[in-house]
Every structure is written in C-alpha cells, then in structure tokens.
Amino acid sequence: MWVTVFNITITAAEIAGGIISGSLALLSDALHNLSDVVSIVVAFAANLVAKRSKDQHKTFGYKRAETLAAYTNGLFLLAISIYLFISAIKRFSKPEPIEGGVMFIVSLIGLAGNLISMLILGRGSKENLNARALFLNMMSDTLSSVAVVVGSLLIYYQNWTLVDPVLTMAAAIFLLKEAFEVTRDSANVLMEANPDLDLEAIEEAGLAFKEVRQLHHLHVWRYSDDTIMLDAHIVVDSDLTAKRIEELDEEIAACLKEKFAINHVTLQAECSRGLDEDLLSTNKEN
C-alpha cells in the first residue's frame, strides 16, 4: 500500500515537472513509476490469487499466478524501455530547452520516494520472483532518479541539455536488461524448464539405493518460487513388496529434498519396462 502511494505521488509530480521543465529524463522516470504502480497492483492481485486452495479446476493450486504476473510485468517493462530509448534518440536530433531548477526539485522528490519504496520491497525480493520483479523496478527507478538529480545540476549550472536524453537512454538500457532477465526467468518457470539442476547427479543419487536398477522418464521443473517438482520411473527388483516400494519412495524423496531442494517427488516403480531407455527417454516418443 505504501509503495503504491509513494509511486502515485512520484508519478504525478514527475509528469507535471517533466512537462513544466521540458525534461525527457523526468518524464521517463515518471513512466517508470507509472509502470511500477501497475506492476504492484497486478502483483498484489496475483499474491491473493496464489493463496487460494486447490480445487477441481486447479489441482496444483494457484501459485503460478505470481509467475504469470512477473512475466506480464517483464513484458510491460520491455515495452517501456524500448519506448524511452526511441524517444531519447529523437531528442538528440531535436533538443529542447530545459528548466534545470524545476527538474532538480522534482527529481529529489522522486529519489526520496523511490529509495523508500526500494527498501520496503527489498525484504522479500530473494524468496519471490514476483517481489524480485517489483524490487528491480524500484532499484532501476532509484538509480534513474540519482542520475536525474545529477543531470539537473549539470543542466542548471552548465546548460548541458544533451545530458537529458543521455540519462534517458542509460535508464532505458538498464531497465531493458533487468526486464529481460525477469521475463526470461518467469518464462522458464511457465515452460517447466530444469531449474539448473544436474540431472546426472540426480540419477546418481537415485541409483545409490541398492534396489534401484535404473531411472528413466525423468522430468524436473520449478512449479513456483518455493516448489521444485520431480517425476520419474524407477526400475526395481521384481520381488520387492508394496510396503518396501513405498518406503523406498519416501527415502529417495528425502534424499532428493536434502541434496537438491526438490520438495515434490513422484516415482513410478517398474520391474523391467524401460530398461532400454535413457534418463530422459529421448530414444522414443513420450
């Protein structure tokens, strides 16, 4: 709530200040903050949806709502950064006079609001991809505000108006990089990509149990920020009882959780089927 209030205030102040002073850098900062307001509202709604219980339509639950929000925010930021970059290039060919004093006062307001917002969101950015997307928004805006403050002083005292589009381009490039990373990471989750785990090490951990003769049809993916899932077929001795197979499943799951932080394991026990297949079963159609 407080971050939203700060960003609405900053956005209004910087839009007014950018129009009055003629500063594209201030307007770019305002667009950053406007995108943050949208991102925060979307992230908050996604967080509420993610807390809903499983049902007949969503048997895995709604945790991926946050990943979808992060992906949407990333695409939005990519569009904003490209727009700012193009606008800055146009300003080089057609420079405009800028009121450095107005730009300086408004940029200080933006810097204070962005810094406070960044500190508020920083606490949860390491555990949650959606929070990370918002934190990166705040961090990029804070750095942009610092640059705008410095630029306003150069414009006021030295009349270096070209510093305005330069700052805008720098902010756009930084935002483009961060937006790409958030979009890529969230897309990997949605595409059920391997979360950088060593599949051969996982296979070795499974084969360390004497009853396990082979693993195949292995799938490992990140379902959400706090859930990594694994699904695999294991070939075991034919004389194992159902009770021992159940115990073996629990032992393998505990091992995988300890070594690889995989916290949702599903294993299918077989006696001979799949012995001629490799770990990913790439030698025949799945």
Side-chain angles (χ1 to χ4, degrees):
M1 181 188 70
W2 284 112
V3 172
T4 304
V5 170
F6 284 140
N7 277 272
I8 291 174
T9 303
I10 295 168
T11 300
E14 290 187 332
I15 288 176
I19 294 173
I20 294 171
S21 67
S23 171
L24 181 61
L26 268 183
L27 288 175
S28 71
D29 220 24
L31 285 177
H32 283 187
N33 284 288
L34 179 61
S35 71
D36 292 337
V37 172
V38 175
S39 298
I40 291 165
V41 172
V42 171
F44 179 72
N47 184 261
L48 292 180
V49 173
K51 293 178 179 178
R52 293 176 60 182
S53 301
K54 302 174 184 178
D55 56 38
Q56 293 183 357
H57 298 288
K58 300 291 187 297
T59 57
F60 274 110
Y62 292 80
K63 288 186 177 181
R64 277 198 175 172
E66 291 190 303
T67 306
L68 282 170
Y71 182 73
T72 302
N73 288 342
L75 291 178
F76 185 54
L77 291 172
L78 285 172
I80 290 293
S81 61
I82 293 172
Y83 169 76
L84 292 175
F85 192 84
I86 294 173
S87 298
I89 292 176
K90 291 180 179 179
R91 182 63 68 91
F92 275 114
S93 59
K94 190 179 179 181
E96 298 180 9
I98 299 172
E99 292 289 339
V102 175
M103 182 180 174
F104 175 72
I105 294 172
V106 176
S107 63
L108 283 180
I109 297 173
L111 175 59
N114 285 323
L115 182 60
I116 294 172
S117 299
M118 186 184 75
L119 294 176
I120 292 173
L121 290 172
R123 292 172 293 180
S125 62
K126 294 182 180 180
E127 293 80 22
N128 184 285
L129 186 61
N130 207 24
R132 179 189 166 202
L134 295 177
F135 174 74
L136 290 174
N137 287 359
M138 293 296 103
M139 184 174 69
S140 66
D141 286 347
T142 301
L143 294 175
S144 177
S145 294
V146 171
V148 174
V149 170
V150 175
S152 66
L153 292 174
L154 291 174
I155 292 172
Y156 183 77
Y157 288 106
Q158 303 293 332
N159 198 30
W160 290 357
T161 55
L162 285 180
V163 75
D164 190 65
V166 169
L167 291 175
T168 304
M169 289 185 68
I173 292 172
F174 178 80
L175 183 60
L176 182 66
K177 174 181 177 296
E178 300 298 338
F180 173 77
E181 291 178 356
V182 170
T183 305
R184 178 198 61 198
D185 291 347
S186 54
N188 281 337
V189 173
L190 295 175
M191 290 296 293
E192 299 185 345
N194 175 9
D196 297 325
L197 294 179
D198 187 339
L199 298 186
E200 293 183 358
I202 292 175
E203 180 182 29
E204 183 179 342
L207 294 176
F209 293 86
K210 62 181 181 179
E211 296 97 335
V212 179
R213 298 164 57 195
Q214 193 239 28
L215 275 77
H216 60 277
H217 278 288
L218 175 69
H219 303 279
V220 58
W221 69 100
R222 182 180 293 279
Y223 175 72
S224 64
D225 289 326
D226 56 358
T227 304
I228 298 178
M229 309 183 76
L230 178 141
D231 181 284
H233 294 199
I234 57 173
V235 179
V236 299
D237 296 332
S238 59
D239 58 351
L240 287 186
T241 64
K243 182 176 184 299
R244 177 54 193 152
I245 290 175
E246 181 179 344
E247 293 172 348
L248 183 62
D249 286 352
E250 293 177 354
E251 292 170 6
I252 295 175
C255 173
L256 295 178
K257 183 175 182 179
E258 179 183 355
K259 290 186 176 182
F260 306 100
I262 300 173
N263 47 12
H264 192 289
V265 177
T266 302
L267 299 173
Q268 177 176 317
E270 301 170 342
C271 294
S272 58
R273 186 176 62 174
L275 278 173
D276 61 338
E277 299 187 18
D278 58 22
L279 187 63
L280 298 176
S281 300
T282 54
N283 56 334
K284 64 168 60 179
E285 186 176 346
N286 289 293

